[in-house]
Amino acid sequence: ALPFLYTRFCIAETVGEICSDACNAYSLKAANAAAISSLSLGVNYSEIVNVEKNSAGDITLIGIDPLKANSIGQAITAKTKTNLEAELKRGIPLPWLAFSGVKLLAGYGKEVSFKAITISSVKCELNGKFHSVGINQTLHSIYAAVICETNIEIPLSKRTETSRTEILIAESVIVGKVPEIYLVGNADNTG
């Protein structure tokens, strides 16, 4: 019973923490590389967002083109998953003494490659944020929030690690009176 408890609560905990940190770092790297690749041709704010004004110059409608938004979200999701799979296929380098279960020794020893990690899901949500930047001027920013879930299989234990990365896609200053409902809410779109 003692070896079981030691493996479950000491070794699995130490190895799990190292793998969780690595999964977060790999997810961030994969999402950023996917965004750079997907947006390398440039995304123009006016291609995604349609701003309509009345004759007085007040904003009456801010609409997001769902086809363009979904296309961007799907491209980022697919490339993030591909990038993350490639990173995880190489494995996470773990110092040999991490398997001792003693946290003080976890950073020492020859490195071994830990590969018992799978991707549960990758998704991308496009969010719009509004910020007042002056009289009748509003900054509208569109972000891609990339959420990666990975499963870490450790002997006698399993962990699911979720990481979220926000990447700026496009932004513009809108000149004109923006209704209060836009300033306190978010425009959400899932890709």
Side-chain angles (χ1 to χ4, degrees), residues 133-185:
V133 292
I135 298 171
N136 286 340
Q137 293 183 349
T138 304
L139 178 66
H140 184 203
S141 305
I142 307 224
Y143 292 90
V146 183
I147 301 110
C148 299
E149 278 190 10
T150 49
N151 295 321
I152 304 166
E153 302 282 346
I154 305 163
L156 306 176
S157 179
K158 181 180 177 180
R159 265 183 197 223
T160 300
E161 188 63 37
T162 303
S163 65
R164 180 183 174 96
T165 307
E166 280 203 354
I167 302 156
L168 180 65
I169 300 296
E171 68 181 355
S172 180
V173 174
I174 301 171
V175 179
K177 188 176 179 186
V178 177
E180 197 64 33
I181 190 161
Y182 289 125
L183 294 177
V184 295

Side-chain angles (χ1 to χ4, degrees), residues 26-41:
Y26 287 177
S27 297
L28 175 65
K29 181 180 175 184
N32 283 326
I36 289 168
S37 174
S38 298
L39 304 172
S40 62
L41 299 176

Side-chain angles (χ1 to χ4, degrees), residues 1 9 41 60 76-77 92 100 108 114 120 133 150 159 176 186-187:
F9 293 105
L41 299 176
T60 57
I76 292 173
T77 299
I92 292 175
S100 71
Y108 299 101
F114 187 81
S120 174
V133 292
T150 49
R159 265 183 197 223
N186 275 348

Side-chain angles (χ1 to χ4, degrees), residues 14-28 92 94 117 150 152 159 161 163:
T14 303
V15 170
E17 286 176 14
I18 295 170
C19 289
S20 293
D21 290 344
C23 284
N24 284 327
Y26 287 177
S27 297
L28 175 65
I92 292 175
L94 282 175
I117 300 173
T150 49
I152 304 166
R159 265 183 197 223
E161 188 63 37
S163 65

Side-chain angles (χ1 to χ4, degrees), residues 2-176:
L2 189 59
F4 172 81
L5 293 174
Y6 188 77
T7 300
R8 171 65 182 90
F9 293 105
C10 293
I11 296 173
E13 189 64 27
T14 303
V15 170
E17 286 176 14
I18 295 170
C19 289
S20 293
D21 290 344
C23 284
N24 284 327
Y26 287 177
S27 297
L28 175 65
K29 181 180 175 184
N32 283 326
I36 289 168
S37 174
S38 298
L39 304 172
S40 62
L41 299 176
V43 174
N44 192 333
Y45 177 84
S46 60
E47 292 175 1
I48 304 172
V49 179
N50 179 30
V51 179
E52 293 183 16
K53 299 180 182 182
N54 62 19
S55 59
D58 296 336
I59 309 292
T60 57
L61 174 69
I62 298 176
I64 293 179
D65 180 350
L67 291 176
K68 185 70 173 176
N70 283 331
S71 173
I72 292 168
Q74 289 172 356
I76 292 173
T77 299
K79 289 179 182 177
T80 298
K81 187 170 184 180
T82 301
N83 294 344
L84 188 53
E85 283 174 346
E87 289 283 346
L88 294 176
K89 195 175 281 185
R90 287 193 289 271
I92 292 175
L94 282 175
W96 181 247
L97 288 176
F99 293 99
S100 71
V102 179
K103 290 189 181 188
L104 289 173
L105 300 176
Y108 299 101
K110 185 177 178 180
E111 289 186 344
V112 295
S113 184
F114 187 81
K115 296 184 180 182
I117 300 173
T118 56
I119 299 172
S120 174
S121 70
V122 176
K123 62 183 177 178
C124 181
E125 300 170 352
L126 294 186
N127 302 306
K129 295 183 182 178
F130 295 88
H131 300 284
S132 180
V133 292
I135 298 171
N136 286 340
Q137 293 183 349
T138 304
L139 178 66
H140 184 203
S141 305
I142 307 224
Y143 292 90
V146 183
I147 301 110
C148 299
E149 278 190 10
T150 49
N151 295 321
I152 304 166
E153 302 282 346
I154 305 163
L156 306 176
S157 179
K158 181 180 177 180
R159 265 183 197 223
T160 300
E161 188 63 37
T162 303
S163 65
R164 180 183 174 96
T165 307
E166 280 203 354
I167 302 156
L168 180 65
I169 300 296
E171 68 181 355
S172 180
V173 174
I174 301 171
V175 179

